Amino acid sequence: MSQINKYGYNPLIRIPSVWLLLVLIVSNSCQNKREAIQPEYRELTESVYASVIVQPDSLYQVYAIVSGILDKNLIEEGDPVVKGQNIIQVINNTPKLNTENAKLQLQLAQENYSGRAAILNSIEDEILSATLKYKNDSTTFFRQKNLWNQQIGSKAEYDAKKLNYELSKNNLQLIRSRYQRTQSELLTALKQAKNNLATTQIASEDFTISSKINGNVYALYKEPGEIVNTMEPLATLGSKNRFIIEMLVDEVDIVKVNVNQLVIITLDAYGDQVFKGRVYRILPKKDEQNQTFTVEALFDHQPTKLYPGLSGEANIIIAKKDSVLTLPISYVRNNQVETESGIKDVETGMQNMEFVEIISGINANTKVYEPDEL
């Protein structure tokens, strides 16, 4: 049953209107308490982040090109080396035996080609005998031919002398051809024996491994007595004083990176200390596994003490403006901002981890609210 007060109103009917009014008042109060900021002019720097590994310049791993037993390491880890300096000695008796056999083969080839018992000497004797026989048969034949032209002698005797002459001539030509062929074969065998000896001597020399650079020994992987093969590295060498900053840059950022751009570097080993460098090379091949490119930089002023593999972080400066209108990144969503007069579209420019450039849409006097959610 409805209850009517003395003023003729049912109080139960007014309660919803009161609550609605209270909600609106509280809502407006909360809206008025939201803090608004205004865009500010500031210096803005845009950069590309990269993880860092420091490595010596000209770093390379040393391999043996022959198998054997490691006889001795002629250097220690941390030692300086110069180009051409012997650093590792490997032993194997097989190359020595091969060298001795190659020497014997060369001596035999030289003896066959030009020695006292040379094969060519015996063929030269055959040529001399065949030449004498050819001259004798030639003289006899032409004498018989003259007689036959004078109708002196028999046809059978003429034919016999002619046959002997032709056989002697052909035999002499065959022996001379065999001499030339044998001479060529012996000369080839001599050259092959010389090449074989040179190859075995090179193989013997390859058992002493030398440095290819002026630098430092950073690692030795084998101890004397261990087996050496051509697949496993024996040492790591690199520059002693010059280090490279290797940076891994995500593929979405690589097109922004150029040679000679400023790099800001922090190394875990040096805490909060900041170093500067310059991009000097961009490797064009992408690492498919982690979708990054390798970018190399050099220190402007290199730290006094560095070691291979030191890690850290870097920011490659790709753009910088002295005075631009900016907002905190959190205030801009999908190129829109919330202002006192509602949502407005803005054109943005460069940005970093904190601020974004506002090119148009609002000005320095516009009050902007931070959106509550995306």
Side-chain angles (χ1 to χ4, degrees):
M1 182 175 178
S2 301
Q3 297 182 4
I4 306 298
N5 61 15
K6 63 180 181 177
Y7 297 105
Y9 294 101
N10 188 341
L12 296 178
I13 295 176
R14 296 185 62 194
I15 289 174
S17 299
V18 172
W19 278 108
L20 179 59
L21 180 60
L22 290 174
V23 168
L24 291 174
I25 292 172
V26 171
S27 177
N28 289 333
S29 176
C30 291
Q31 176 69 22
N32 292 334
K33 288 182 179 180
R34 290 178 64 191
E35 293 186 3
I37 66 170
Q38 292 175 287
E40 296 181 4
Y41 285 94
R42 59 169 43 86
E43 179 185 280
L44 189 62
T45 299
E46 185 176 3
S47 63
V48 168
Y49 171 82
S51 59
V52 165
I53 295 291
V54 175
Q55 296 288 15
D57 190 18
S58 305
L59 189 71
Y60 80 100
Q61 291 185 318
V62 178
Y63 288 84
I65 66 172
V66 287
S67 300
I69 304 295
L70 196 148
D71 183 32
K72 62 177 67 174
N73 289 316
L74 305 176
I75 37 76
E76 299 290 340
E77 290 179 332
D79 285 353
V81 292
V82 296
K83 185 176 181 179
Q85 177 181 341
N86 293 336
I87 57 175
I88 296 173
Q89 180 67 50
V90 179
I91 56 174
N92 190 325
N93 291 327
T94 301
K96 294 181 180 179
L97 295 176
N98 290 340
T99 300
E100 292 300 322
N101 290 334
K103 288 180 180 179
L104 294 175
Q105 292 174 356
L106 178 59
Q107 291 174 357
L108 179 60
Q110 289 174 331
E111 187 69 22
N112 288 336
Y113 184 72
S114 59
R116 294 180 180 179
I119 297 174
L120 294 178
N121 288 344
S122 62
I123 301 178
E124 288 176 351
D125 293 339
E126 292 182 38
I127 292 175
L128 181 60
S129 298
T131 301
L132 293 174
K133 187 176 186 308
Y134 167 71
K135 289 181 178 180
N136 182 65
D137 289 342
S138 175
T139 300
T140 302
F141 166 66
F142 283 106
R143 183 183 298 117
Q144 187 65 39
K145 182 180 181 181
N146 290 333
L147 292 174
W148 176 249
N149 291 336
Q150 298 175 22
Q151 301 297 316
I152 301 172
S154 64
K155 182 70 166 60
E157 190 174 9
Y158 169 78
D159 290 340
K161 296 292 189 293
K162 181 179 180 181
L163 178 61
N164 289 337
Y165 164 73
E166 291 176 348
L167 289 175
S168 297
K169 181 180 179 180
N170 291 336
N171 184 54
L172 179 59
Q173 291 175 344
L174 289 174
I175 295 174
R176 284 174 173 170
S177 296
R178 180 156 60 89
Y179 178 89
Q180 293 176 350
R181 183 174 64 255
T182 303
Q183 185 182 44
S184 178
E185 291 173 352
L186 292 176
L187 181 59
T188 300
L190 178 60
K191 291 179 179 179
Q192 289 175 341
K194 289 180 178 179
N195 292 338
N196 188 38
L197 177 59
T199 300
T200 56
Q201 287 175 335
I202 291 173
S204 298
E205 292 173 357
D206 287 337
F207 278 80
T208 301
I209 303 169
S210 60
S211 172
K212 304 300 181 184
I213 63 170
N214 297 324
N216 219 49
V217 180
Y218 288 102
L220 294 172
Y221 303 114
K222 295 283 187 178
E223 295 294 333
E226 292 190 67
I227 295 175
V228 172
N229 58 48
T230 60
M231 303 299 294
E232 298 176 329
L234 303 180
T236 295
L237 274 61
S239 173
K240 181 179 180 180
N241 301 315
R242 179 181 164 100
F243 282 77
I244 302 297
I245 307 161
E246 293 184 355
M247 301 176 290
L248 297 182
V249 176
D250 193 278
E251 66 173 326
V252 300
D253 296 322
I254 191 63
V255 295
K256 304 174 186 176
V257 179
N258 294 302
V259 173
N260 207 39
Q261 286 175 334
L262 177 66
V263 183
I264 307 299
I265 309 115
T266 58
L267 299 175
D268 295 342
Y270 281 88
D272 295 332
Q273 190 171 352
V274 176
F275 303 95
K276 293 182 179 180
R278 293 280 173 178
V279 174
Y280 93 100
R281 185 168 67 161
I282 302 171
L283 277 63
K285 188 177 186 307
K286 184 176 76 172
D287 186 331
E288 297 294 343
Q289 185 174 358
N290 55 26
Q291 304 298 305
T292 60
F293 287 82
T294 298
V295 176
E296 295 181 345
L298 295 175
F299 288 101
D300 287 349
H301 299 286
Q302 186 172 291
T304 55
K305 186 179 292 186
L306 289 174
Y307 294 93
L310 289 182
S311 60
E313 298 178 328
N315 284 286
I316 304 170
I317 308 302
I318 60 174
K320 184 177 180 180
K321 294 183 179 179
D322 293 332
S323 180
V324 293
L325 191 65
T326 64
L327 276 175
I329 285 183
S330 60
Y331 281 72
V332 182
R333 301 289 169 81
N334 299 321
N335 287 338
Q336 291 181 329
V337 296
E338 182 180 352
T339 69
E340 290 179 318
S341 58
I343 302 298
K344 288 187 176 294
D345 293 328
V346 294
E347 181 183 356
T348 60
M350 60 183 292
Q351 66 180 47
N352 57 23
M353 299 296 292
E354 298 179 274
F355 300 99
V356 58
E357 177 187 7
I358 304 299
I359 297 176
S360 63
I362 59 175
N363 56 42
N365 297 319
T366 305
K367 291 185 178 181
V368 179
Y369 296 102
E370 183 175 15
D372 294 329
E373 59 184 25
L374 292 174

